[in-house]
Amino acid sequence: MAKREIPLFILDNNRAHNLGECDFITCTDIDNGFVGKIDYTHCQEEISDTVRTGEERNVIRVRMEIKRIIGKNPTPAAQRSLLKKAMEYYTEINTVEVNTSSPTDKQCIDFLDTLIKGNRHNLTEAGVDYNERKIIATSLNMLEAIKDKLKNLKQNE
């Protein structure tokens, strides 16, 4: 069996698209490819040909919905299977293990990166409220400073 020439899933999670708190995933399968929107919800478990929710964690679920089919010969069964694989892939790469009793420096830096990413999104969502934007920008600057300080401490060890 030959290896893929391109990845099966391509993830857009930079949230610079200004479409709200969501990510997008593209499945590049030639027959059953799709573009899916990923967001978070409080709904019950949902599984269909075009929608799938993940495991409930802290009363919310990841919800993935196919928004555009780009495959040449799509079949519902194959799309359901690929949607399931896409959910597993997304969950695996977005699960941040947090060890609050004795975190490593790398875990602290990774968690700060997650907070920074979320705050950058909040900055774009703040709109024209000057005070809100200033608070978020200050928080971002402080998180970056903490991260840099941790990295410098680690390098000097």
Side-chain angles (χ1 to χ4, degrees):
M1 179 178 230
K3 288 192 172 197
R4 291 184 164 275
E5 292 180 26
I6 56 173
L8 180 59
F9 299 112
I10 301 170
L11 184 63
D12 172 7
N13 61 358
N14 66 20
R15 299 192 177 130
H17 46 66
N18 295 324
L19 296 174
E21 186 71 22
C22 66
D23 295 327
F24 290 92
I25 193 162
T26 301
C27 174
T28 61
D29 184 81
I30 203 156
D31 289 319
N32 293 286
F34 60 84
V35 175
K37 180 180 177 183
I38 305 164
D39 56 7
Y40 298 89
T41 182
H42 294 283
C43 74
Q44 297 296 317
E45 184 177 30
E46 186 178 358
I47 297 173
S48 73
D49 291 346
T50 59
V51 176
R52 183 172 196 93
T53 56
E55 249 181 67
E56 185 176 315
R57 293 185 181 169
N58 299 324
V59 303
I60 62 167
R61 293 178 185 273
V62 174
R63 183 177 186 274
M64 189 176 292
E65 179 180 8
I66 295 176
K67 289 295 190 179
R68 180 173 296 152
I69 296 170
I70 58 175
K72 294 180 180 177
N73 299 303
T75 61
Q79 283 184 325
R80 273 193 311 273
S81 177
L82 287 168
L83 193 59
K84 180 180 178 183
K85 284 183 182 181
M87 179 65 78
E88 290 167 357
Y89 172 73
Y90 181 78
T91 303
E92 180 183 319
I93 65 170
N94 283 296
T95 301
V96 178
E97 191 173 316
V98 179
N99 177 356
T100 57
S101 60
S102 58
T104 65
D105 290 344
K106 183 179 179 343
Q107 288 172 328
C108 290
I109 291 168
D110 290 347
F111 190 73
L112 285 170
D113 281 333
T114 301
L115 291 174
I116 290 165
K117 182 176 142 183
N119 274 342
R120 279 201 186 109
H121 170 71
N122 291 335
L123 190 59
T124 62
E125 292 294 307
V128 294
D129 186 336
Y130 174 77
N131 289 329
E132 185 178 1
R133 291 180 64 78
K134 187 174 177 182
I135 290 167
I136 294 169
T138 302
S139 296
L140 266 170
N141 289 338
M142 190 60 179
L143 289 170
E144 290 282 0
I146 294 167
K147 184 176 99 173
D148 291 343
K149 191 168 194 158
L150 274 174
K151 283 183 175 180
N152 289 335
L153 287 172
K154 189 175 180 177
Q155 288 174 353
N156 293 333
E157 286 181 349

